[in-house]
């Protein structure tokens, strides 16, 4: 689906063979609808294709504009009465959710941004995202998400709703030749790790477990080596380039040739700001999450616990 794909200004400049300044000018003039997540401007694939169709047979001039840092740091405004909603996160369940939103919530256009949990919450604090997915473990309390949300969204009125729960743990090589069995084993000398990027839920989970087990990151070979998704980590372990990685069960099943050791049931929640202009679509979103049709589609994916899907866990 086109709403599942978005491009940075650099990628668009390369595809259209124009300068970044021209891309920024097109965005500024409203010819390319855009939104921001973190420091990046992004354009939905459907909007890029629509621009290309309009521009056929014409020539776009390059007009110098101000630096990108001076562009508004906000989600794109509504166009033709349709409001874009930025949905952040990397799990496939979000792609399914976006499909239902497109069908079931009139007047909105969901835009996917593949951003880690912590960066997603920061983007929401900055006003750059509308629906944030997060799976962040607080090692001191054993609680997921809410301790981080409380700290990052201070002064905001928000709602936390469960999307699903899933198993997280260790990827190990087929047959587990090193006999790894738990978090404490990560302190073994010579063990080669493949890590996730800073801000991801898996990275936070690893760092919290290392802290709780008094393991210094500096003593782990490969701690600085990063992949940007679960499949990448599982793939590096499967290929023998790493001995161990942290991630979710589903990725191990997809990659194959890698074993998975479940160690924790993580809660994957959605966060939404309770602004007056958001009330209508939040209500519609809750209806989707609680619908039998949506649940049945998620049930086809192994490894999901949907017992609390659609439950409001916390709100201010």
């Amino acid at each position: 689906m086109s709403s599942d794909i978005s491009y940075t200004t650099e990628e668009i400049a390369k595809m259209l063979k124009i300068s970044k300044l021209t891309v920024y000018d097109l965005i500024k003039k409203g010819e390319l609808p855009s939104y921001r997540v973190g420091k990046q401007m992004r354009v939905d694939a459907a909007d890029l294709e629509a621009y290309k169709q309009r521009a056929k047979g014409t020539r776009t001039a390059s007009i110098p504009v101000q630096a990108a840092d001076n562009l508004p740091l906000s989600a794109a405004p509504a166009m033709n009465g349709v409001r874009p909603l930025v949905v952040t996160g990397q799990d496939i369940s979000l792609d399914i959710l976006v499909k239902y939103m497109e069908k079931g919530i009139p007047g909105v256009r969901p835009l996917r941004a593949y951003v880690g949990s912590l960066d997603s919450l920061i983007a929401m604090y900055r006003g750059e995202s509308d629906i944030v997915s997060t799976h962040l473990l607080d090692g001191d309390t054993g609680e997921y998400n809410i301790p981080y949300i409380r700290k990052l969204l201070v002064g905001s009125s928000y709602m936390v709703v469960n999307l699903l729960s899933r198993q997280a743990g260790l990827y190990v090589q087929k047959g587990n030749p090193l006999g790894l069995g738990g978090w404490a084993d990560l302190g073994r000398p010579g063990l080669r790790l493949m890590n996730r990027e800073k801000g991801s839920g898996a990275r936070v989970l690893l760092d919290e477990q290392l802290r709780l087990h008094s393991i210094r990151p500096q003593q782990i070979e490969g701690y600085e080596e990063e992949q940007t998704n679960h499949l990448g980590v599982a793939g590096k372990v499967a290929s023998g380039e790493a001995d161990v990685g942290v991630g979710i069960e589903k990725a191990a099943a997809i990659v194959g040739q890698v074993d998975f050791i479940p160690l924790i049931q993580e809660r994957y929640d959605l966060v939404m700001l309770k602004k007056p202009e958001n009330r209508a679509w939040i209500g519609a979103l809750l209806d989707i999450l609680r619908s039998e049709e949506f649940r049945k589609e998620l049930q086809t994916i192994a490894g999901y616990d949907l017992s609390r899907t659609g439950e409001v866990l916390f709100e201010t």
Side-chain angles (χ1 to χ4, degrees):
M1 297 175 64
S2 61
S3 62
D4 293 341
I5 303 173
S6 63
Y7 301 109
T8 65
T9 53
E10 290 84 357
E11 291 169 334
I12 292 173
K14 289 179 181 179
M15 286 188 287
L16 298 183
K17 297 182 180 179
I18 58 179
S19 71
K20 282 177 59 178
L21 288 178
T22 301
V23 176
Y24 288 131
D25 187 55
L26 293 172
I27 290 171
K28 188 175 182 180
K29 292 189 295 186
E31 294 185 38
L32 269 179
S34 66
Y35 59 101
R36 293 192 71 158
V37 176
K39 296 181 180 178
Q40 282 190 336
M41 275 294 221
R42 302 198 71 89
V43 174
D44 187 49
D47 290 321
L48 177 60
E49 184 60 31
Y51 166 76
K52 288 164 65 177
Q53 293 299 320
R54 291 193 305 268
K56 278 186 177 180
T58 66
R59 186 176 180 179
T60 303
S62 177
I63 303 173
V65 297
Q66 292 180 323
D69 291 342
N70 292 329
L71 291 170
L73 191 64
S74 61
M79 297 188 68
N80 299 322
V82 177
R83 176 184 171 182
L85 295 180
V86 178
V87 183
T88 65
Q90 299 173 328
D91 195 84
I92 192 174
S93 59
L94 297 169
D95 300 320
I96 296 172
L97 178 60
V98 160
K99 180 183 70 173
Y100 278 82
M101 292 172 64
E102 288 175 333
K103 292 190 303 181
I105 308 181
V108 304
R109 183 181 187 188
L111 302 172
R112 290 283 282 112
Y114 296 87
V115 183
S117 294
L118 197 56
D119 288 340
S120 292
L121 284 172
I122 293 171
M124 174 164 276
Y125 174 77
R126 292 174 174 169
E128 299 160 2
S129 61
D130 301 287
I131 301 172
V132 159
S133 64
T134 179
H135 57 109
L136 295 169
L137 174 69
D138 176 49
D140 292 325
T141 63
E143 187 175 9
Y144 264 92
N145 302 323
I146 293 175
Y148 293 88
I149 298 168
R150 281 175 165 167
K151 292 176 182 177
L152 288 170
L153 299 183
V154 175
S156 299
S157 181
Y158 54 83
M159 177 183 294
V160 183
V161 181
N162 180 245
L163 178 58
L164 53 90
S165 295
R166 60 191 189 183
Q167 289 283 348
L170 301 179
Y171 303 127
V172 298
Q173 293 178 9
K174 203 69 177 175
N176 194 11
L178 298 180
L180 303 177
W183 302 113
D185 292 332
L186 296 177
R188 288 188 190 178
L191 195 69
R192 297 172 301 156
L193 172 76
M194 182 55 62
N195 211 343
R196 281 291 305 277
E197 78 281 11
K198 292 179 180 178
S200 67
R203 178 65 168 261
V204 171
L205 173 60
L206 170 65
D207 288 343
E208 285 291 83
Q209 295 298 339
L210 294 181
R211 179 177 66 84
L212 292 172
H213 289 84
S214 301
I215 301 171
R216 293 185 299 108
Q218 295 82 357
Q219 75 187 68
I220 303 177
E221 182 180 344
Y223 178 83
E224 301 298 333
E225 299 293 324
E226 298 178 353
Q227 293 288 312
T228 59
N229 54 57
H230 295 294
L231 292 175
V233 174
K236 291 294 184 180
V237 175
S239 69
E241 296 176 66
D243 299 314
V244 65
V246 175
I248 59 173
E249 183 178 14
K250 177 162 57 66
I254 293 172
V255 169
Q257 301 306 309
V258 65
D259 285 345
F260 178 74
I261 301 173
L263 295 177
I264 192 168
Q265 181 86 347
E266 67 175 16
R267 211 179 65 222
Y268 197 64
D269 297 333
L270 301 178
V271 188
M272 297 154 284
L273 296 180
K274 291 170 55 180
K275 298 179 179 179
E277 61 269 27
N278 294 350
R279 288 174 183 168
W281 65 256
I282 288 177
L285 179 64
L286 290 175
D287 289 340
I288 290 172
L289 293 172
R290 295 164 180 171
S291 69
E292 190 66 23
E293 184 182 6
F294 178 69
R295 286 170 176 263
K296 281 184 177 179
E297 186 155 353
L298 287 190
Q299 284 171 353
T300 64
I301 302 174
Y304 286 163
D305 178 353
L306 308 177
S307 58
R308 303 185 73 182
T309 300
E311 179 182 339
V312 177
L313 303 173
F314 187 81
E315 60 181 316
T316 58

